Each structure stands twice: as C-alpha cells, then as structure tokens.
Amino acid sequence: MKVYKFGGASVKDADSVKNVAILLEKVGCEDTFMVVSAMGKTTNALEEVVQLYFDEQDYEKKIHEIEAFHLEIVKELFDDQTKINQELKIFFSDIVSFLRRNKSPNYSYVYDQVVCNGELASTRIISAYLNQTGIANTWLDVRDYLKTDNNYREGKVNWDETEKNFRTIESGKLYVTQGFLGSDENHFTTTLGREGSDYTAAIIAYCLDAQSMTIWKDVPGVLNADPRYFSDPVLLNHISYEEAIELAYYGASVIHPKTMQPLQNKEIPFFVKSFINPTDSGTAIKKGAPLEPKISCFILKKDQHLVRFSSKDFSFITEDKLSGIFNQLYDAKIKVNLMQNSAISLSLCVEDKYGNLKELLNKLDKMYNIQHDEQVNLYTIRHFDEHSEKVLPLERELLRQTLKETLQIVTKA
Ligand code: ASP
C-alpha cells in the first residue's frame, strides 16, 4: 500500500478539499491509506477552547465559531449537506457535553479529548466529499488501531498492539483516517504531539509495510532553507534518511522529527511533494541517497533560551551535577538544542514549550550562578562552507559551536 499524508494547509478550505480530489485522480489512489490533519488552523482554535475552559471563560462561543467554519466549507462542497451536517453537529455538541460533564483537572487529558475533534471533522468531510465525487473510500477511526500509553499530548506508541491492529486492514482499497490521534488502553483519546500527523503516517506505513509514503505540502519538497526566513531557497532532489533525521533534529519544520525512524527501520521510500503540482518529483528520501544538490542547509529555531550555569564556588561541573541538571530539564519537558561545557560552566540553548523554565531556574539558582538570555535565535548550518554565514542576518552572536559538518550559532536580534 501507499500512504499519503495531507496536512492542515492542504485542506484549509473548500477549494483545497476539491484540489485533494483532483490530485488523487492525477496520481492514483488505489491501495492507498490517506492520513489527514485538521482543517487549516483548527487545532489552534481547539487549543483555545481548552484554555478558555480552564480559565473558566466562555468556551462555547469558540466551539460554535469552529463549527461554523466547517459548516461553511461543507456548504460549498456538497449538493446535499444533510447527512454530513448532522455528523459534524454531533462532534461539536460532544465537545460541549464533554466539557460540561468533565471533572478531571488533568489539562493534557482534557486537551486530547477536545482537540481530536479537528481531525475527526476534517476526515469526515473529506471522506464524504471524495465519495460524492466518485472516489470510493472507507473512513476509519484511527483510535481503533493506533494504541498508545496514557501520556496525554505526547502519547508513546504501543507498537505491538498497533501493528497487530493494522494487520487486519484489507489491501486494495482507499482509506481515509486521522493523523495525530491514538487511544490508550481505556480507549480515551491521546495525541502524538503538535504536528504529529506526519508521524502517524510513518507509523501506519511501518505497520502496513507500505511501498512508499508521501507528504503533500504547499512547498515543492524539502528546501535547503525555510522560505519564511531565508531568500532563494533551493529544492533538495534527494537526501538520505540520515540527512533528513539530522535536518529534522535541528528544526527543519518540513519534517517532523519522529517521522523518519519508522520509515528508516523498514527502508520505506519517503517523498515530500507539492499538492499544487502533484506530478512534479519533489524530494525523495531514501536509504543512502546522497544530498543532491550538495549545498548548505539553513535552519532557524526562534524563541530559544540561552542559559549559562556556573558554579558558585569554582568547583568543577562534574558528571553528577550535569546529570542532576539534565534530569530536572527532562522532568520539566524542556528540550536542549545545544550544549557547551567547560570546567566550571555549562551553556544550554533550550526550548521551553510548556513554560516551565523560570520555575526550574529558581530551583537551580541555589546551586549555580545563572545567566539567562530569552528570545534568542539558534541558527544551524549543515554542510557549511566559507560563504554560508553570509546568508545569516546581522545579529549579536552569543555562542557558536562547530561539529564536523554542522555549524550552530546562537544570536540575539
Ligand atoms: N492538527 C495537528 C496540529 O496542527 C496535527 C498535525 O496537523 O500534524 O498540530
């Protein structure tokens, strides 16, 4: 089977959904598993609902806005909207009744039970629309197949169960299912982390021993630089799994970091292609494929923190102290993107996704002198040469590190 993944941008409005049908006609969709994200920015909007709920503010209005956004798309897509409208109404009224009944103070649990409705709604619409246009398909609730632990918002896949479930899928057909979602052993919904639909597609490709996986994007493929931050980006025609993993690790947003591992394990070829020009070749990611063209790749991670710990009594920062700091960072879900240490100091460039850093630094303040720069940029250049740095904007350099083929610079604008 082939696995196709369509992200939020590829299904953001009625025209985009129509484009998905045209794309499938062009490239073929027999024996295919389609993994689809929530429409446009729906996940952000549902995150707001959860926040409003916990802030004890009016969340129902926001839910109605999200529902209206979907019903508007449906109006443009369907001749007869009765059935699909009813289905959507159920999803959205389910959110309201869940929140009214809920007693759990667990933010992440509530988040997953609410946010999942973005993917459930989008896949319902897309599946029904494809059926209407004559592209016969089966809608599947991925939560019946993809099993995780109960680490809400960051579900860890139970591979044995998941693989066993996907093995029951009959090949030869077109399936439409949700990215990003799973369920725990009590069948409560879990999610795999923001932007997790690529990972879902890779999990399914792995479990089905797929012949290939394709992610359809609004860019021509994997570029050597993010066009939002760098001018004249160049399309990479092919790259190896290792290169793709490195790029994702350093923050190339086109590839979700967890996506590569399942694909690489079974050597499943992975394509990133344009949903605007679907017959263009895009980027092929395969075993041993050399980087082509051989060119520097630029990655920017914004909103980082640079933290420098130094010992108060001039004692060495030894392994026990390092492990103490790293354990606490791990517990606070703070991600370290760069580290540099000397005898009495440790510098870390970290990402504080969950807003836990301040509290942690307050705790560590007793043991270390701490210098903290907020809102710093981390630039990574893979395959750098003497010209590469000219591409970077002129910003105050705070730290730099060179590792074989990779140069990293932390700056403050
Ligand atoms: N809808 C989810 C998000 O926006 C998952 C995804 O699109 O990959 O993060």
Side-chain angles (χ1 to χ4, degrees):
M1 285 187 104
K2 288 177 297 206
V3 176
Y4 287 169
K5 184 258 168 172
F6 291 89
S10 66
V11 292
K12 67 177 193 302
D13 52 24
D15 283 343
S16 325
V17 175
K18 288 180 189 168
N19 182 57
V20 169
I22 297 168
L23 181 153
L24 293 175
E25 298 278 13
K26 274 192 193 149
V27 300
C29 58
E30 56 294 327
D31 210 12
T32 300
F33 220 98
M34 263 174 80
V35 174
V36 185
S37 300
M39 296 178 127
K41 303 271 178 235
T42 302
T43 305
N44 292 358
L46 287 164
E47 278 187 345
E48 274 180 54
V49 170
V50 179
Q51 196 54 49
L52 288 167
Y53 169 76
F54 277 99
D55 291 345
E56 295 180 17
Q57 290 183 28
D58 179 12
Y59 57 83
E60 294 196 15
K61 188 164 150 252
K62 187 82 206 169
I63 297 174
H64 293 312
E65 277 171 33
I66 303 170
E67 180 175 7
F69 164 74
H70 286 85
L71 294 181
E72 207 45 50
I73 293 176
V74 161
K75 220 191 263 176
E76 281 189 56
L77 290 175
F78 294 89
D79 310 327
D80 179 1
Q81 299 141 27
T82 330
K83 189 160 172 273
I84 183 78
N85 277 355
Q86 273 167 0
E87 286 178 3
L88 293 178
K89 284 213 157 77
I90 294 173
F91 288 134
F92 292 104
S93 61
D94 272 358
I95 308 180
V96 176
S97 49
F98 165 77
L99 289 174
R100 280 188 193 154
R101 273 196 332 263
N102 178 59
K103 296 272 185 291
S104 170
N106 181 339
Y107 190 98
S108 298
Y109 162 79
V110 173
Y111 177 104
D112 283 357
Q113 313 318 304
V114 171
V115 165
C116 64
N117 288 286
E119 269 70 13
L120 292 170
S122 73
T123 50
R124 269 293 186 204
I125 294 173
I126 285 146
S127 168
Y129 177 73
L130 294 177
N131 276 327
Q132 175 184 276
T133 55
I135 303 177
N137 69 88
T138 306
W139 181 90
L140 289 183
D141 188 334
V142 77
R143 297 171 299 178
D144 295 334
Y145 296 84
L146 204 158
K147 303 303 286 184
T148 70
D149 64 7
N150 62 1
N151 189 14
Y152 299 108
R153 289 179 81 181
E154 294 278 354
K156 302 257 170 323
V157 177
N158 177 335
W159 285 96
D160 289 344
E161 280 280 304
T162 302
E163 211 172 348
K164 199 171 85 204
N165 294 338
F166 275 106
R167 294 249 174 250
T168 62
I169 297 282
E170 205 185 306
S171 60
K173 293 201 216 165
L174 171 65
Y175 295 93
V176 176
T177 201
Q178 309 77 40
F180 183 47
L181 314 184
S183 69
D184 66 13
E185 59 173 356
N186 294 318
H187 214 70
F188 288 120
T189 303
T190 54
T191 59
L192 304 175
R194 284 301 307 262
E195 313 289 333
S197 295
D198 289 7
Y199 184 41
T200 306
I203 295 164
I204 296 177
Y206 177 94
C207 292
L208 295 174
D209 284 321
Q211 73 186 63
S212 68
M213 167 173 144
T214 304
I215 296 187
W216 300 98
K217 305 276 288 184
D218 54 359
V219 286
V222 180
L223 303 171
N224 77 321
D226 186 332
R228 285 174 301 174
Y229 311 122
F230 300 93
S231 48
D232 306 323
V234 173
L235 175 70
L236 304 175
N237 297 320
H238 40 85
I239 56 178
S240 63
Y241 292 121
E242 290 77 9
E243 186 65 41
I245 289 171
E246 295 287 346
L247 291 174
Y249 171 78
Y250 289 115
S253 55
V254 74
I255 305 163
H256 187 275
K258 288 184 186 165
T259 306
M260 296 311 305
Q261 208 189 14
L263 300 174
Q264 188 202 17
N265 281 348
K266 287 202 177 165
E267 297 183 5
I268 296 168
F270 168 27
F271 300 92
V272 180
K273 294 189 182 193
S274 154
F275 59 72
I276 302 153
N277 299 307
T279 47
D280 286 0
S281 46
T283 301
I285 303 162
K286 289 183 193 167
K287 188 182 175 204
L291 177 67
E292 204 284 309
K294 184 114 178 73
I295 155 181
S296 303
C297 298
F298 299 86
I299 300 150
L300 165 61
K301 269 187 180 257
K302 295 170 105 159
D303 294 330
Q304 305 288 296
H305 298 254
L306 183 64
V307 186
R308 186 166 178 273
F309 300 93
S310 51
S311 52
K312 292 194 166 174
D313 56 359
F314 279 86
S315 62
F316 290 158
I317 299 196
T318 45
E319 287 74 5
D320 54 337
K321 290 183 183 147
L322 288 172
S323 75
I325 294 173
F326 277 95
N327 282 336
Q328 296 196 50
L329 287 164
Y330 177 79
D331 291 342
K333 296 190 178 170
I334 295 167
K335 188 165 173 272
V336 178
N337 287 321
L338 181 153
M339 65 172 283
Q340 205 171 73
N341 64 324
S342 71
I344 57 164
S345 81
L346 168 71
S347 295
L348 300 175
C349 183
V350 302
E351 205 166 296
D352 183 26
K353 207 160 130 193
Y354 299 99
N356 297 331
L357 183 64
K358 282 238 160 76
E359 197 185 323
L360 176 65
L361 295 185
N362 282 340
K363 268 198 257 166
L364 291 168
D365 194 46
K366 292 181 198 79
M367 290 174 70
Y368 303 98
N369 291 321
I370 298 176
Q371 220 178 304
H372 177 194
D373 281 289
E374 297 182 61
Q375 300 256 298
V376 302
N377 296 321
L378 171 61
Y379 290 94
T380 302
I381 311 177
R382 294 268 303 153
H383 314 290
F384 64 97
D385 59 26
E386 66 277 21
H387 307 294
S388 321
E389 271 185 66
K390 291 188 195 128
V391 172
L392 305 187
L394 279 175
E395 291 173 356
R396 186 158 61 92
E397 182 172 324
L398 302 176
L399 189 144
R400 88 165 35 213
Q401 182 159 282
T402 313
L403 265 176
K404 219 170 142 212
E405 298 184 284
T406 308
L407 167 66
Q408 291 192 287
I409 306 177
V410 180
T411 68
K412 181 120 183 162

